[in-house]
Amino acid sequence: MTIDSDTQRKIMGMFATGITVVSMRIHDDETWGMTANAFTSLSLDPPLVLVAVKKGQTHENLQKAGHFAINILSADQQDLSDRFAFTGPKDFSGLDTTTDVTGAPILQNTLGYVDCEIHEVLAGGDHDIFIGKIIGGKLGEGAPLLYFSGGYAELASDT
Ligand SMILES: Cc1cc2nc3c(=O)[nH]c(=O)nc-3n(C[C@H](O)[C@H](O)[C@H](O)COP(=O)(O)O)c2cc1C
């Protein structure tokens, strides 16, 4: 038996995730970002992560850039998730960013980031799987922004 995409989306939405912004520098002054939750830690030795990206503009820009950074959003960064979650040009103008090794824009006050060179791209239907080798990164702190059942969520307070 097969299931329709709407049912698949709803079932997969029950798997709560964090939210990241995948960022890259396409040319010297041209940056790009995309909100993504299909992100996973893959390997410690070598240090690898993966993100699944739909075949579209972000996918093309990742291949041009050859690298990406993953910025892990905190509970008070929903505005950043919304900003990078639509189709079309999206840059980092007006945002306070730094760079690490690759030149990808690094967002401030996140829970942490990894800066990666693209190690391999694997086929995955209407998405591709971008495997990144971590060559930089920094740990932040705070509470995570979560995505669950098609909407934003936060960890329950234990107080
Ligand atoms: C919470 C959330 C998570 C998302 N995760 C992904 C993802 O992992 N991969 C992806 O390709 N698109 C994801 N999207 C959709 C993209 O952010 C958005 O549609 C994208 O910017 C459009 O792609 P394009 O720039 O290539 O046209 C997500 C959107 C939201 C709101």
Side-chain angles (χ1 to χ4, degrees):
M1 190 189 118
T2 57
I3 56 167
D4 60 87
S5 346
D6 191 44
T7 308
Q8 181 183 346
R9 195 177 289 117
K10 282 182 181 153
I11 295 170
M12 299 319 296
M14 301 310 277
F15 187 63
T17 65
I19 301 185
T20 72
V21 172
V22 184
S23 61
M24 66 216 75
R25 184 170 300 273
I26 310 162
H27 299 296
D28 286 351
D29 57 353
E30 196 183 352
T31 55
W32 190 270
M34 186 194 81
T35 301
N37 67 345
F39 165 69
T40 302
S41 178
L42 178 63
S43 162
L44 287 177
D45 184 17
L48 303 176
V49 294
L50 69 83
V51 60
V53 178
K54 192 175 154 192
K55 291 173 183 166
Q57 268 185 298
T58 299
H59 183 287
E60 277 174 33
N61 287 336
L62 272 170
Q63 285 184 312
K64 277 187 212 159
H67 67 256
F68 60 84
I70 296 282
N71 301 270
I72 303 171
L73 298 186
S74 71
D76 58 4
Q77 292 180 316
Q78 195 176 308
D79 56 328
L80 292 174
S81 174
D82 289 338
R83 173 171 174 151
F84 293 104
F86 63 90
T87 298
K90 32 198 185 297
D91 63 21
F92 289 77
S93 53
L95 293 176
D96 189 17
T97 60
T98 57
T99 58
D100 195 327
V101 182
T102 67
I106 307 296
L107 292 165
Q108 299 297 288
N109 303 314
T110 63
L111 301 190
Y113 69 85
V114 285
D115 199 16
C116 306
E117 59 190 20
I118 293 178
H119 178 73
E120 204 173 346
V121 183
L122 304 177
D126 56 10
H127 286 53
D128 275 341
I129 300 161
F130 286 79
I131 297 178
K133 181 170 182 190
I134 300 173
I135 53 176
K138 194 172 172 191
L139 177 65
E141 60 180 10
L145 180 62
L146 303 179
Y147 202 67
F148 174 69
S149 189
Y152 293 112
E154 288 184 31
L155 287 181
S157 162
D158 55 5
T159 54

